[in-house]
Amino acid sequence: MSSSKQDTPLTIAGKEYRSRLLVGSGKYKDLEETRLATEASGAEIVTVAVRRSNIGQNPDEPNLLDAIPTDKYTILPNTAGCYTADDAVRTCRLARELLDGHNLVKLEVLGDEKTLFPDVQQTLKAAETLIQDGFKVMVYTTDDLIIAKELEAMGCVAVMPLAAPIGSGLGIRNPYNIRFIIEELSVPVLVDAGVGTASDAAVAMELGCDGVLMNTAIAGAQNPVLMASAMKKAIEAGREAYLAGRMPRKQYASASSPLDGTFF
């Protein structure tokens, strides 16, 4: 009998998703590239920076939702560019108005312009307000286990620790902290920020992450559409490797074809 783990769907706020890859919608050269890369990724959840994208608030500009229509994707408004809890809450409320009552949001409150690390105190404050206001909050945070547990206890529907600074492409800098969070939390844990290439995404999934959110890793590639396809495969391969269970690490060699029991 196989001892591998049994897979279950990615479930966020009560809704099941086939894809464990979540993608952003910024930094592409135009809406057509956005559309093609999103399709190639196989993602079902797409984040939208409400403060930086037109999703209906300006009728004179191209509407991002023409490239990522709401009947095909779950739109995940995010609070990118917000540095206070009040700004983040205001942005989420605007998104709810623009998207006809949509209440699933990605919360990020930044604390430093150079590193774009989250301001944990402001994040906690905003999360509390948004949850009380009926929002389903997926939250960008540090890779601090204690903070992650507090955000879960507050009622966040997913916790999203950074792997490395936003847009850095440095990959998983502290896999041990990510693993601790995965082991301790019951809500989905998704790596958010820092992935640079397909192998980074696979590593995140092999650790046991429920999913990965990325934007620059795809949009910043020389061929974004091809990279989106690569990321889709990496997420799937990493998930399968996690479920299969990797071989034990050993200090010394172990022959693939042992001599014991052989015939000469």
Side-chain angles (χ1 to χ4, degrees):
M1 179 181 293
S2 171
S3 60
S4 62
K5 303 178 182 69
Q6 296 299 308
D7 203 4
T8 55
L10 171 61
T11 303
I12 298 176
K15 183 175 179 179
E16 295 184 356
Y17 297 93
R18 298 181 301 277
S19 174
R20 294 177 180 272
L21 173 59
L22 291 70
V23 297
S25 53
K27 301 186 177 181
Y28 292 100
K29 66 180 182 181
D30 54 35
L31 290 185
E32 179 63 7
E33 186 175 74
T34 304
R35 182 185 69 81
L36 292 173
T38 304
E39 288 180 353
S41 74
E44 297 168 280
I45 301 176
V46 183
T47 66
V48 173
V50 179
R51 292 164 64 97
R52 299 170 180 166
S53 305
N54 180 38
I55 56 172
Q57 62 269 49
N58 189 343
D60 297 325
E61 294 184 3
N63 191 326
L64 178 61
L65 299 183
D66 292 335
I68 48 169
T70 56
D71 61 348
K72 186 174 182 180
Y73 300 101
T74 293
I75 304 302
L76 182 62
N78 72 55
T79 59
C82 292
Y83 285 82
T84 69
D86 289 343
D87 279 351
V89 169
R90 190 179 305 113
T91 300
C92 289
R93 287 171 175 165
L94 172 62
R96 183 162 61 182
E97 291 180 12
L98 291 170
L99 296 172
D100 299 324
H102 181 85
N103 64 2
L104 181 67
V105 295
K106 179 200 165 187
L107 170 64
E108 59 180 75
V109 185
L110 304 178
D112 181 74
E113 292 185 5
K114 183 176 181 180
T115 64
L116 301 182
F117 284 156
D119 183 323
V120 172
Q121 291 181 330
Q122 291 291 304
T123 298
L124 290 167
K125 181 181 176 181
E128 182 177 21
T129 300
L130 289 169
I131 292 167
Q132 290 176 351
D133 200 18
F135 285 94
K136 307 296 183 182
V137 179
M138 301 174 66
V139 58
Y140 166 68
T141 184
T142 61
D143 59 0
D144 183 309
L145 171 62
I146 307 306
I147 297 301
K149 292 174 71 173
E150 186 169 353
L151 288 164
E152 178 185 40
M154 292 174 64
C156 293
V157 299
V159 173
M160 308 173 73
L162 55 83
I166 292 173
S168 68
L170 291 174
I172 314 297
R173 294 291 85 196
N174 198 334
Y176 302 102
N177 280 8
I178 300 293
R179 177 68 66 81
F180 294 152
I181 293 172
I182 293 167
E183 291 176 352
E184 292 289 329
L185 268 60
S186 298
V187 297
V189 175
L190 300 93
V191 154
D192 180 13
V195 167
T197 191
S199 57
D200 298 332
V203 167
M205 297 307 297
E206 289 170 7
L207 287 172
C209 288
D210 294 285
V212 178
L213 190 154
M214 65 183 76
N215 185 187
T216 310
I218 295 176
Q222 294 181 35
N223 186 331
V225 178
L226 188 59
M227 182 60 79
S229 176
M231 290 298 188
K232 175 183 178 180
K233 298 179 180 73
I235 293 290
E236 293 171 351
R239 181 66 178 178
E240 289 186 2
Y242 166 72
L243 295 172
R246 64 156 291 144
M247 62 168 283
R249 290 181 171 87
K250 300 178 182 179
Q251 185 172 357
Y252 299 104
S254 176
S256 298
S257 301
L259 294 177
D260 294 346
T262 57
F263 296 94
F264 293 94

